[in-house]
Amino acid sequence: MQNFVITGGNRLSGEINLQGSKNSALPIMAGAFLVSGECVLKSCPVLTDVYSASRILNRLGCKCRLSSGEAVIDSSGASSFEIPDELMREMRSSIMFMGAILGRMGECIVSIPGGCELGSRPIDMHLASMQKMGVEISDINGKIHCRIPSGRAHGTKISLSFPSVGTTENIILCAVTAKGETIINNAAREPEICDLCNFLRCCGAEIKGDGESRIVINGVEKLHGCEYTIMPDRIVCATYIAMTAATGGEMIIKNACISETEPFISVIEQTGCGIYLADNRIYVRKGARLRALKDRIRTMPYPGFPTDTQAILMSALITADGTSVFEENIFDCRYRHTDAFVKMGADIQVMGKVAVVRGVPEIHGADIEATDLRGGAAMVIAALSAEGTTHLSNIYHIDRGYEKFEEAVSSLGGKIRRE
Ligand code: UD1
């Protein structure tokens, strides 16, 4: 098990080039399974989750070659429809292959996916949606066996009770080669869904309305290969903004996705952190001590404040002037990072879905454990802003989503090493 050793106190300054989005890359890699040809994915981040997706593709009979910033996937040899348990457990996004495998093979065997522990993360909406598209589902020795008797899913109208990102993506993946028209009402509107749809359209899919609550998909017979550039990662972008806000200094984030990061930017600007936007660059500058936020920070589906940036913003507000209040509305257990912050000297009280953060003048290093991907990144930010040295364990969580994290942080002047 590897750890980060981080010594805080340095102001972080410099430039970073934003990596491609993990939450786009994973469903797009699943989408490549639908294509009987070669897909070249540019800006594909090099992450453990991407390696997991690649292992799934290999297991399904596809060739997947990952090199720096590029994934080349050739699914012409697709031969299997089963994902073994150990690969399903590596990440939540393994479930995204369900729609794609059904779309290509008409049958699939999967199991309950793994991923960050953010509370109960059922897949009931995924399964119910597949059933509406003609998929029969049964339990065989604890595995989920999905089968389309006619071999091809059919279009239908699906109204989601909640705009689930993964469910919306799974329906799209199953619907693009289904027979007829599929309509998703109350679809998730996250930018990564538009990125998936843009990729699928490049492969010949007919999709309209992504980015809005009603998505209409007209099934086509076949998809063809393409070259596609994955969008920049808005959550990693928010991480570097918060890092500057927490440590002081100045940062230029290049290849940024400004409008997609806007829900985070508009909140952090209220803390007094200077943000200047130009083309696809974000310039961040922290001057005086941050101010606590007057309004409660409520996590909501896009375009609301993203749940994935809740811990990240909190790490910057631990030492702000005044009290900030968070309300986590997406996951029922997404405050596990707060124990580590408290160990570092933060004043945080959690009551159900609400966390009250009373700003303290400073925090100190401690021995702490990463609890999940974004919570772990938030702990790195806190450690960089703390007095003294922090030993952060379980950093495999962070490696799931941040490319060459310690190299980037070191290049900005942060004292961090892996051991
Ligand atoms: C995706 C993102 C994750 C982000 C989340 C919310 C990826 C790879 N992951 O996760 O980073 O935090 O969106 O923006 O893109 N739910 C059910 N039943 C279901 C499906 C979901 O009850 O069948 C619930 C979940 O438990 C959760 C809520 O719906 O409480 C939102 O989940 P969802 O939008 O599906 O998130 P993910 O796709 O898992």
Side-chain angles (χ1 to χ4, degrees):
M1 285 285 185
Q2 295 186 320
N3 306 312
F4 278 149
V5 181
I6 301 163
T7 303
N10 282 8
R11 292 157 71 89
L12 266 61
S13 291
E15 292 186 359
I16 63 135
N17 216 359
L18 212 54
Q19 68 183 64
S21 161
K22 168 183 89 74
N23 287 357
S24 280
L26 300 175
I28 288 176
M29 289 176 82
F33 185 73
L34 285 164
V35 176
S36 42
E38 190 176 88
C39 292
V40 178
L41 305 177
K42 302 272 183 192
S43 280
C44 185
V46 181
L47 304 166
T48 51
D49 272 10
V50 168
Y51 282 113
S52 298
S54 163
R55 277 196 291 279
I56 291 176
L57 284 165
N58 289 333
R59 196 61 187 245
L60 296 171
C62 312
K63 288 188 190 131
C64 181
R65 208 175 59 240
L66 299 177
S67 54
S68 180
E70 189 175 284
V72 180
I73 301 167
D74 181 353
S75 299
S76 46
S79 54
S80 169
F81 52 77
E82 176 164 3
I83 306 179
D85 277 2
E86 69 272 16
L87 290 179
M88 284 300 297
R89 274 197 302 269
E90 283 184 9
M91 59 172 182
R92 170 85 179 173
S93 291
S94 53
I95 196 64
M96 223 58 74
F97 280 85
M98 179 168 66
I101 299 174
L102 284 167
R104 174 88 184 258
M105 315 292 273
E107 185 167 6
C108 84
I109 300 175
V110 292
S111 47
I112 299 293
C116 287
E117 286 175 26
L118 311 174
S120 71
R121 295 181 81 177
I123 54 165
D124 54 325
M125 288 162 72
H126 294 253
L127 297 178
S129 305
M130 295 297 121
Q131 280 171 325
K132 282 205 84 173
M133 298 178 78
V135 178
E136 287 180 357
I137 299 178
S138 54
D139 179 328
I140 300 182
N141 301 328
K143 293 189 173 222
I144 304 165
H145 187 193
C146 307
R147 206 177 70 87
I148 308 171
S150 65
R152 190 176 177 198
H154 59 72
T156 185
K157 195 186 261 187
I158 300 172
S159 295
L160 298 178
S161 55
F162 178 87
S164 152
V165 176
T167 309
T168 303
E169 290 170 340
N170 238 334
I171 298 169
I172 293 169
L173 287 165
C174 187
V176 282
T177 55
K179 196 162 184 282
E181 182 183 77
T182 301
I183 298 176
I184 314 173
N185 286 319
N186 199 23
R189 298 164 60 192
E190 268 66 5
E192 294 77 14
I193 289 174
C194 300
D195 212 26
L196 170 65
C197 292
N198 286 337
F199 161 74
L200 291 168
R201 274 189 289 262
C202 266
C203 299
E206 289 180 19
I207 309 170
K208 286 195 186 124
D210 44 302
E212 294 163 28
S213 301
R214 185 173 184 270
I215 301 179
V216 181
I217 304 129
N218 262 303
V220 296
E221 294 280 338
K222 235 173 146 18
L223 296 180
H224 54 75
C226 76
E227 183 175 307
Y228 186 75
T229 303
I230 291 169
M231 68 176 278
D233 196 310
R234 65 193 170 104
I235 310 302
V236 175
C237 186
T239 305
Y240 285 108
I241 295 174
M243 200 178 280
T244 318
T247 62
E250 295 179 19
M251 201 181 294
I252 296 173
I253 302 169
K254 298 196 289 190
N255 184 35
C257 36
I258 293 178
S259 66
E260 293 82 358
T261 317
E262 176 58 27
F264 180 83
I265 292 175
S266 61
V267 170
I268 197 126
E269 274 185 316
Q270 296 166 37
T271 67
C273 178
I275 307 265
Y276 310 91
L277 309 170
D279 302 325
N280 61 349
R281 287 169 178 234
I282 301 179
Y283 176 67
V284 192
R285 183 161 182 270
K286 183 207 174 185
R289 185 179 180 195
L290 297 185
R291 292 188 297 272
L293 290 162
K294 285 199 193 85
D295 296 329
R296 190 178 272 223
I297 304 129
R298 294 182 167 88
T299 64
M300 302 290 266
Y302 191 84
F305 185 82
T307 174
D308 283 354
T309 61
Q310 175 252 106
I312 288 164
L313 177 66
M314 192 183 286
S315 66
L317 290 175
I318 295 171
T319 50
D321 185 13
T323 299
S324 306
V325 181
F326 287 77
E327 184 179 303
E328 173 56 54
N329 295 305
I330 308 295
F331 292 105
D332 53 20
C333 186
R334 204 167 194 176
Y335 284 131
R336 295 172 67 216
H337 49 276
T338 57
D339 286 345
F341 291 167
V342 169
K343 210 169 168 193
M344 298 174 82
D347 180 351
I348 303 173
Q349 253 185 312
V350 175
M351 292 152 289
K353 55 156 71 174
V354 173
V356 177
V357 182
R358 291 185 188 83
V360 293
E362 60 177 34
I363 53 173
H364 51 77
D367 286 358
I368 53 175
E369 265 178 39
T371 46
D372 59 273
L373 166 56
R374 306 302 170 189
M379 289 176 205
V380 172
I381 297 175
L384 288 166
S385 70
E387 278 283 312
T389 298
T390 294
H391 290 86
L392 175 60
S393 60
N394 286 353
I395 59 169
Y396 65 89
H397 286 297
I398 300 171
D399 291 334
R400 292 187 40 224
Y402 291 84
E403 195 173 56
K404 298 184 179 161
F405 200 31
E406 69 269 33
E407 273 177 44
V409 172
S410 298
S411 75
L412 297 165
K415 276 195 175 175
I416 180 169
R417 70 169 198 277
R418 185 184 286 256
E419 62 176 31

